[in-house]
Amino acid sequence: MEDGVWRLDEIGDFIFLLNCYGPNEKNVLQRRFKKDRKALNKLYDLLEKLDELGFDDAMSFGQSAHYIGTIANNKHLTLIEIRVKSTLWRVVTYVDYGRKVLVMLDAFEHHKSKTMNAVVNANEQNVKRAIELLEEVE
């Protein structure tokens, strides 16, 4: 994905999607959820609800309702979880508490993935990209 152009797509007032656009112009969510449109639609419904609440209330609601989970030993990455029937999807998300923004980095189906440490390590560069792009937006 290094050949494309990295940018932040605004999903809501404080919710962004880190994306690398190339020739096909599909975002990371469209690529990851291509075989599970119901899960993608459910994710967008949840994001809309979170956006209506505002950052602080969205984080409280998401954590209490178990839509937003933490990643052990990582204070800046969190998981947005969507369940459709027996399938659990996780969206790796960078949280910037100072700027009060969420940046979705990647998504995966829970039982078909690497270990959580591997997922975190795979997204380290994306976190750096997200931070750089957020600084450009300010």
Side-chain angles (χ1 to χ4, degrees):
M1 291 301 288
E2 295 298 323
D3 297 329
V5 176
W6 289 95
R7 67 180 185 222
L8 290 177
D9 294 338
E10 191 171 355
I11 305 295
D13 290 337
F14 63 91
I15 303 169
F16 296 88
L17 173 64
L18 178 68
N19 218 344
C20 182
Y21 283 97
N24 68 3
E25 287 295 318
K26 285 187 177 180
N27 71 41
V28 69
L29 297 179
Q30 291 168 328
R31 288 191 305 272
R32 297 292 190 251
F33 288 92
K34 68 183 173 191
K35 293 182 181 177
D36 196 345
R37 301 298 291 173
K38 284 185 180 181
L40 181 59
N41 290 338
K42 192 169 182 176
L43 173 63
Y44 281 127
D45 289 345
L46 174 61
L47 295 174
E48 186 176 321
K49 184 174 192 168
L50 294 175
D51 190 53
E52 289 172 2
L53 294 172
F55 180 82
D56 292 324
D57 289 340
M59 292 301 289
S60 295
F61 166 76
Q63 290 168 349
S64 66
H66 303 286
Y67 287 117
I68 297 176
T70 58
I71 297 176
N73 301 322
N74 196 312
K75 65 180 183 177
H76 293 293
L77 285 181
T78 189
L79 298 170
I80 297 175
E81 297 183 336
I82 300 297
R83 183 176 297 279
V84 177
K85 296 184 182 177
S86 62
T87 304
L88 176 64
W89 283 91
R90 290 181 163 170
V91 181
V92 180
T93 306
Y94 169 71
V95 181
D96 189 324
Y97 291 97
R99 292 182 179 96
K100 295 189 175 191
V101 298
L102 299 173
V103 180
M104 296 179 290
L105 306 174
D106 200 359
F108 61 96
E109 192 174 338
H110 174 61
H111 293 294
K112 293 184 180 178
S113 185
K114 307 171 188 173
T115 66
M116 190 53 62
N117 284 339
V119 170
V120 168
N121 291 338
N123 279 284
E124 283 181 7
Q125 189 62 40
N126 287 342
V127 170
K128 292 176 185 173
R129 285 186 184 106
I131 292 169
E132 289 171 5
L133 291 168
L134 285 169
E135 288 172 354
E136 288 177 16
V137 170
E138 289 182 337

